[in-house]
Amino acid sequence: MADSDPYADPVKLLCDWLPLQEPIFGVRTATHVPADLAPILADGPLIHVTRPPGGGDDVPGIDVALIDLDVYLAGDGTNQDLAGAQRLAATVRGLMRFALPGHTTSDGHRVSRVSTDMVPVELPYDPDTDITRYGATYRVTVHSRTTT
């Protein structure tokens, strides 16, 4: 049976695309944050990708999705940790704005535009941990694949 949904899943698109980008090649992405995040972050940072409410498709076949990207980084509670998370979030912002537009998925969906709704900022996380969280919100416009 053919896939009847012509729209791309922008969360999956980003979870697949981000780890393939230089200079963050291999970064881990997830659609859920595990309750016990610290052991996972021992192996490196994690980018949590979600689609919050908002966005839409005023034009059929063109999905304008709001996307939240939260960078989580473990550390020892120093300003160096904050700077590392901030650098990674800024790198991701650059990739989102300059490398993602024009990307076409293997099944024919094309990202035509990316704008920043909220620039990367430090966000609260559990104060009893040494985990730093930096988040940003993007508006990603994806054209659905054409069907014949």
Side-chain angles (χ1 to χ4, degrees), residues 30-46:
T31 58
H32 297 89
V33 176
D36 193 9
L37 189 55
I40 292 168
L41 295 179
D43 292 330
L46 177 76

Side-chain angles (χ1 to χ4, degrees), residues 119-138:
V119 299
V121 295
E122 184 180 12
L123 296 172
Y125 193 68
D126 183 348
D128 295 330
T129 68
D130 290 326
I131 294 173
T132 301
R133 176 182 172 209
Y134 247 78
T137 302
Y138 301 93

